[in-house]
């Protein structure tokens, strides 16, 4: 065979091999072993739900298993700090939140990580409204049927109504603090290590109230175990169209109220840009798939898929916004 023909054949074979699934993975050397997605809250909450929704999609795309690892504590700071200190090799990711990457830096006097310098933003996975939910028996006891009733009851019974959260510094905590600040009320804050444990106690009647992320609260609202008073977003949620927003149903004191949550993937600072971009692209593809998109929308989450640059700018804007909310609400770490 002439040399030129051999070269042409080799070139053709090389092109075919490059097109084979897994070739790019083999060339880059990543991933060749399991990848850990750290969830900085207990199982059962929205952070955990979203991590477990994208983990199998990433596993299908890249091959090795993507493991969800719950590391709750300190309003998400414990798990986030662990990722900040991890090797920047693409094998440890964080499902960060508005708490870990926008609220906590303004709320905690001393942080175990720098939310900007210690991380490489990958992508925003989804945004969700919070929903004000009450234990039905507590609602009957205090005569609460609307968000305006809640403000009235809290004024009449200062410190008697208690409000659970998924931890200090979470949007669930800050939503309640903003409500208290705007209505001039006092309710006892009970921080948990995630939405899952808090919801268990709320349903059992051990606590009265919660400003929970919608995806984790929704099944219990539909099952009649929790009473939904209002959503904290600027607009009503498509999955709870009959539930008003806090702003529209709370009266003049709550005009303009808005406090929503978001969840996104981050890697330790220094993680190769190629790996960060590949993860973002696969997450975006997954979130655009009709089955995945519809599943998240049906749970009250709005899929995103931002580029790393867009997510970086988004975090900067959210940090500024929530610092103001912390200041106005007077929120403190309990």
């Amino acid at each position: 065979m002439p040399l030129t023909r051999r070269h042409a054949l080799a070139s053709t074979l090389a092109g075919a091999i490059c097109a084979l699934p897994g070739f790019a993975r083999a060339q880059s050397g990543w991933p060749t072993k399991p990848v850990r997605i750290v969830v900085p809250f207990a199982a059962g909450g929205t952070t955990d739900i979203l991590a477990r929704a994208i983990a199998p999609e990433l596993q299908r795309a890249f091959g090795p298993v993507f493991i969800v690892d719950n590391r709750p504590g300190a309003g998400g700071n414990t798990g986030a700090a662990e990722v900040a200190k991890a090797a920047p090799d693409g094998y440890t990711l964080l499902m960060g939140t508005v708490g870990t990457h926008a609220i906590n830096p303004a709320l905690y006097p001393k942080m175990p990580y720098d939310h900007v310098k210690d991380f490489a933003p990958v992508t925003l996975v989804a945004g969700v409204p919070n929903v004000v939910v009450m234990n039905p028996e507590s609602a009957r006891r205090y005569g609460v049927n609307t968000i305006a009733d809640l403000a009235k009851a809290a004024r009449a019974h200062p410190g008697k109504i208690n409000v659970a959260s998924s931890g200090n510094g979470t949007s669930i905590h800050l939503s309640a603090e903003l409500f208290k600040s705007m209505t001039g009320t006092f309710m006892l804050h009970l921080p948990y290590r995630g939405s899952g444990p808090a919801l268990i106690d709320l349903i059992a009647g051990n606590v009265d109230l919660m400003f929970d992320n919608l995806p984790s609260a929704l099944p219990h609202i539909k099952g009649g175990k929790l009473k939904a008073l209002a959503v904290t977003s600027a607009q009503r949620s498509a999955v709870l169209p009959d539930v008003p927003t806090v702003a529209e149903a709370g009266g003049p004191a709550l005009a303009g109220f808005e406090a929503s949550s978001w969840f996104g993937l981050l890697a330790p600072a220094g993680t190769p840009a190629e790996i960060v971009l590949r993860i973002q692209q696969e997450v975006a593809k997954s979130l655009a798939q009709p089955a995945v998109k519809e599943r998240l929308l049906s749970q009250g989450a709005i899929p995103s898929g931002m580029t790393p640059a867009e997510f970086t700018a988004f975090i900067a804007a959210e940090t500024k916004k929530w610092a103001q909310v912390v200041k106005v609400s007077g929120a403190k770490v309990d």
Side-chain angles (χ1 to χ4, degrees):
M1 183 183 293
L3 185 62
T4 53
R5 288 186 63 192
R6 285 202 301 271
H7 282 176
L9 180 58
S11 178
T12 301
L13 288 172
I17 292 170
C18 288
L20 289 174
F23 179 79
R25 180 168 67 246
Q27 283 292 93
S28 70
W30 180 92
T32 59
K33 62 181 182 179
V35 177
R36 188 167 62 113
I37 302 176
V38 173
V39 170
F41 298 97
T46 299
T47 318
D48 183 69
I49 290 170
L50 291 174
R52 294 181 190 280
I54 65 167
E57 301 299 324
L58 290 172
Q59 182 174 331
R60 273 190 283 272
F62 292 116
V65 65
F66 279 67
I67 302 166
V68 175
D69 186 7
N70 297 87
R71 298 284 180 170
N77 283 352
T78 300
E82 183 176 327
V83 176
K85 296 176 177 67
D89 54 9
Y91 291 100
T92 305
L93 303 173
L94 173 72
M95 181 58 85
T97 70
V98 63
T100 62
H101 279 75
I103 296 173
N104 288 0
L107 186 66
Y108 284 79
K110 186 175 181 180
M111 288 284 287
Y113 57 88
D114 185 308
H115 79 294
V116 175
K117 294 180 180 179
D118 291 343
F119 293 89
V122 179
T123 188
L124 179 68
V125 174
V128 304
N130 292 343
V131 58
V132 188
V133 284
M134 239 181 142
N135 175 278
E137 182 53 41
S138 293
R140 283 191 290 271
R141 183 165 64 251
Y142 289 107
V144 174
N145 288 301
T146 67
I147 196 71
D149 290 341
L150 176 61
K152 182 179 178 181
R155 291 190 192 98
H157 306 281
K160 297 293 184 182
I161 298 175
N162 52 51
V163 54
S165 82
S166 54
N168 287 309
T170 60
S171 73
I172 295 171
H173 171 206
L174 263 291
S175 295
E177 293 296 337
L178 186 60
F179 176 87
K180 288 157 61 176
S181 174
M182 293 177 73
T183 57
T185 56
F186 172 65
M187 297 184 290
L188 181 65
H189 174 222
L190 301 175
Y192 285 73
R193 291 167 67 87
S195 283
L199 282 169
I200 290 172
D201 269 7
L202 180 61
I203 292 168
N206 297 326
V207 291
D208 301 313
L209 173 73
M210 191 172 175
F211 285 65
D212 193 29
N213 300 144
L214 182 52
S216 47
L218 187 61
H220 307 298
I221 294 169
K222 290 186 173 181
K225 295 178 180 178
L226 295 176
K227 182 180 181 67
L229 303 180
V231 292
T232 65
S233 48
Q235 291 85 33
R236 294 192 183 200
S237 170
V239 296
L240 289 175
D242 296 329
V243 177
T245 68
V246 172
E248 72 177 298
L254 290 165
F257 186 103
E258 194 272 328
S260 296
S261 299
W262 53 260
F263 307 83
L265 284 177
L266 301 103
T271 299
E274 175 201 1
I275 293 176
V276 169
L277 185 59
R278 289 175 64 198
I279 296 171
Q280 181 271 325
Q281 289 173 339
E282 291 301 335
V283 170
K285 286 179 189 176
S286 297
L287 294 175
Q289 292 176 12
V292 175
K293 184 176 181 179
E294 288 305 314
R295 184 166 77 249
L296 293 182
L297 288 171
S298 71
Q299 295 174 323
I302 302 171
S304 179
M306 285 181 180
T307 66
E310 289 170 337
F311 192 28
T312 298
F314 177 80
I315 290 172
E318 285 288 291
T319 299
K320 184 177 179 180
K321 167 190 166 181
W322 283 98
Q324 184 63 21
V325 173
V326 170
K327 181 178 178 180
V328 170
S329 69
K332 290 179 172 47
V333 176
D334 298 326

